[in-house]
Amino acid sequence: MSDKRILHEGWTVAGDPGAPAAVDPIPAAVPGEVVSALLDAGLVADPYTDDGERGVAWVGRHDWTYRTSFDFASDDWDGVDLVFDGLDTVARILLNGDVIGETANMHRRYRFDALTAMREGANELEIVFTSPYAYAEAQRDRLGDRPNAYDEPGNFIRKAACNFGWDWGPNLASAGIWRPVRLEYWKIARIAEVVPHVSVEGGQGIVDFSVELERAERVDLDLVCTAGEHTAVLRVPAGRRTAQVRVVVDDPELWWPHNRGAQPLYDVAVTLSADGRELDTWSHRIGFRTVELDTEPDADGRPYTLKINGEAVWVKGVNWIPDEALFSRIDAARLERRLRQAVAAGIDYVRVWGGGIYESEDFYRLCDELGLMVGQDFLFACAAYPEEEPFRSEVEAEARDNLARLAPHPSLVTWTGNNENIWGWHDWDWQEPLGELTWGAGYYHDLLPKLVAEVDGTRPYWPGSPYSGTRDLHPNEQAHASVHIWDVWNQLDYAHYRDWRPRFVAEFGYQAPPTWATVRRMTTDEPLQAETPNMLWHQKAADGQAKLQRGLDAHLPVARDFDDWLYFTQVNQARAIRLGIEHFRSLQPYCTGAVVWQFNDCWPVTSWAAIDGEERLKPLWYALRDAYADRIVTFQPHGEGVKLVAVNDSAEVWNGVIGFWKCTAEGRITGRALLEIAIDPRDTAEVVLEGGVAPAPGEFLVTGREGFPRATWFTKEDKDMDWATARFTAETALVDGGVAVTVTADTVLRDLCVFADRLDPDAVVDKALVTLIPGEQVTFTVTSAAIAASPELTAALTSKPVLRAVND
């Protein structure tokens, strides 16, 4: 008694008469956006290469019209709805010339009654998009300007803030049908919405289904709700449009993060019928688990402790941005590649940042299956947002829609009101220009928590990131709840992460360029230099290259050429984040998590990401894998000396012996020590190094490599260490799918890497950033059929610029 038709074929798009191109219709993919259509038609250059972004800057300044046609055969339907999962952003929808709906929000779904405008046979559908700049600037003029981290009007339109450019992303403020569109047909009644409220109480899994119905006839309806093998039936009398149904599952298997347990998922479904005739169905998968956020004040301030199924979790997190600047290109396969890379790096928590989008169903489904916790921001970032109409109503509709849509997903564990806006009001000189103007506080402190409790009711809400817990405290007070650390990178050397003693770090990051192959994708500059025009175009951070150079000057030898600069900046990024994570982990349980800025990129760019915009792993990814391992050993400063800290975040007692050596810069061992450990699950232990095992200036410490993690401690920076020039032997051997590169050290080799993407852009290496002392050996496995098939490329794996060490 219901049916649907996908409307993704036969679309064209055309610009208004003033547009520089595509005034006449051109083919348009749906889902898609105008920039992609122009690119496919050959009317603009690739915005990802060189300064091609400039060539599409005009797109957001014009109106655009999408058109298609379809046939319709009447079958006495009671309802025919035109359903949009995403329209970007301000649009009028016309069916056969009649306006059947309007939109002003990229972040919500829309449903319009199409039946009255439908014709038997051919039908014409037209979607007219207003320029996002024209709309936003008109709202700004009407309501009064408000502060924004960027000189853009993105806070005056419910559109992804990063569409207007960010310090890692391009300005591609396009328009389009960015998510699926379809016709849905129904008779008598349909299921308008289902929100499954999932809880665990007394060993039982409880699913409280909140069901909303749309009805065309006054007849009794039957609802059948199932969870796994358990079922409940409810008769819904004529006239009623809502229903509450509870299904109880005895002794359910619990859903856990991937490093804590399994991810069992249960099928749930709702079936609507009348007089034995099935009218409509809804189905999903859920997971049973509890989630708490402990922020009760303690003797030290206020914790921010995430608990799953009653267990405190030390969050090993990353911040997530949209994985493509042209959002319609993000498909399930791409998301699966990225999220599997997160799991492989030991990451268990992904924060969906507030300047992007509510991700697709595929994203959250994959997180459910892979055991990745999701912290979801509401979509406000780095700006003051008006609370007047039409924005308040749009924000409420957007929040209700996404709270309901995402409710089934066990991976979604927290909602956060905004990114840095409360902090901005305190510290970014907002208060004087704002005066009495609204700026979003009513959303974060009143509207959004009310809606989370009303629509969801099963997940904790926190007003902002960062936020200290009360309005009378500075929002980025490190002893209270969540903080962002940006004095490091912006002003200070990365060693200053150790100055912080935070309870939970929701953002901290350090930049580096992308991989070599991606650099060659993003710029055609010749010769390549850090300061060439297009390298600078793809550096969006304020004074970004100068900040990178400051970091190099503090730690590493002088870069002799671009190859050195690329390698050194990537090493510095990896070292900075590893130092930060290891410091924060050494503070547990006082500190309860770290969320690195950022995991992914949306285009080829110099940024804070661990995986670049062409999906290649930067050295930072390998550092994350090491620093987020369940068991780590780290040397940390202790007064004028040093201590060794062992962290056991596994479920088993860690019994063993940690051995480490004290070495000269030449790699000569001058001292040895063995430490027996017995560390309880989720616990730490530390030993202060004194006497003969404490390193003298110019010496370094290194743990052994067999059976426990490697850790190092250097008493001087590389630029000041008296390293011998790297000497080693390197041998290659063909292995299944690629080449094994075995390196044997004759001297110390510092942060050894194999950059196989220089030989094959698709090559993947299994490890990076390996430090060896004389006599030690490591084997890198390079997965690449192209390299394996070429003796010349295989030979190139054993020398610069592919094989690199800091002291080479």
Side-chain angles (χ1 to χ4, degrees), residues 191-501:
I191 299 171
E193 184 174 86
V194 177
V195 181
H197 306 271
V198 181
S199 59
V200 181
E201 299 176 17
Q204 292 183 316
I206 297 171
V207 186
D208 287 313
F209 292 93
S210 294
V211 183
E212 183 179 331
L213 304 174
E214 183 175 0
R215 313 175 68 133
E217 298 183 20
R218 292 185 59 82
V219 298
D220 290 348
L221 301 171
D222 292 312
L223 277 178
V224 178
C225 298
T226 63
E229 303 299 320
H230 302 265
T231 299
V233 180
L234 178 71
R235 172 62 58 89
V236 185
R240 275 188 55 186
R241 295 182 178 273
T242 61
Q244 305 291 322
V245 183
R246 170 169 286 195
V247 179
V248 177
V249 177
D250 292 326
D251 195 24
E253 296 182 78
L254 298 182
W255 184 96
W256 291 92
H258 68 85
N259 49 10
R260 296 276 174 146
Q263 294 78 49
L265 299 172
Y266 288 75
D267 292 322
V268 293
V270 177
T271 301
L272 178 68
S273 60
D275 297 325
R277 295 175 296 164
E278 184 178 297
L279 303 178
D280 201 2
T281 61
W282 173 95
S283 62
H284 218 291
R285 289 195 300 171
I286 63 163
F288 290 103
R289 55 99 184 96
T290 65
V291 56
E292 306 164 69
L293 187 61
D294 179 8
T295 59
E296 285 300 311
D298 59 20
D300 297 306
R302 186 184 298 270
Y304 187 97
T305 304
L306 188 63
K307 295 182 178 180
I308 304 297
N309 300 323
E311 290 188 9
V313 174
W314 205 93
V315 167
K316 302 168 185 173
V318 288
N319 283 271
W320 175 276
I321 66 171
D323 207 52
E324 253 278 1
L326 299 172
F327 299 151
S328 67
R329 294 180 176 181
I330 306 171
D331 60 12
R334 184 183 180 102
L335 290 171
E336 183 166 3
R337 291 192 298 273
R338 200 66 60 254
L339 294 172
R340 286 192 181 278
Q341 288 169 322
V343 171
I347 292 157
D348 61 13
Y349 179 97
V350 177
R351 175 193 173 213
V352 181
W353 166 76
I357 58 176
Y358 303 102
E359 291 288 339
S360 68
E361 185 66 21
D362 289 321
F363 176 89
Y364 302 95
R365 171 185 60 79
L366 286 162
C367 289
D368 293 343
E369 295 170 357
L370 295 172
L372 284 166
M373 298 178 289
V374 177
Q376 177 69 57
D377 282 10
F378 286 102
L379 300 186
F380 305 90
C382 300
Y385 286 81
E387 298 174 44
E388 292 82 2
E389 295 295 346
F391 294 105
R392 191 187 188 284
S393 293
E394 281 297 340
V395 167
E396 179 168 354
E398 166 192 321
R400 287 185 180 276
D401 184 38
N402 286 283
L403 284 164
R405 177 173 74 92
L406 302 181
H409 294 284
S411 57
L412 179 57
V413 294
T414 61
W415 286 94
T416 300
N418 72 88
N419 176 77
E420 297 190 345
N421 295 346
I422 299 173
W423 188 17
W425 187 84
H426 275 262
D427 278 1
W428 298 354
D429 299 321
W430 286 12
Q431 295 181 35
E432 183 175 344
L434 276 171
E436 299 300 314
L437 292 175
T438 59
W439 59 274
Y443 297 146
Y444 317 137
H445 294 297
D446 302 315
L447 177 64
L448 293 176
K450 181 193 79 170
L451 294 175
V452 171
E454 176 186 329
V455 180
D456 185 328
T458 67
R459 294 173 175 86
Y461 169 85
W462 197 244
S465 186
Y467 187 63
S468 293
T470 62
R471 298 195 201 194
D472 58 343
L473 270 176
H474 188 279
N476 206 39
E477 166 54 51
Q478 63 177 305
H480 294 267
S482 63
V483 300
H484 292 189
I485 300 177
W486 285 113
D487 57 347
V488 178
W489 169 250
N490 280 321
Q491 298 151 0
L492 303 172
D493 181 67
Y494 62 71
H496 286 277
Y497 283 131
R498 293 186 178 127
D499 296 342
W500 283 74
R501 188 174 165 81

Side-chain angles (χ1 to χ4, degrees), residues 541-563:
D543 298 321
Q545 301 302 76
K547 292 171 184 176
L548 289 174
Q549 190 60 49
R550 182 190 67 209
L552 297 183
D553 293 343
H555 297 279
L556 289 156
V558 174
R560 296 157 295 184
D561 53 26
F562 183 81
D563 290 337

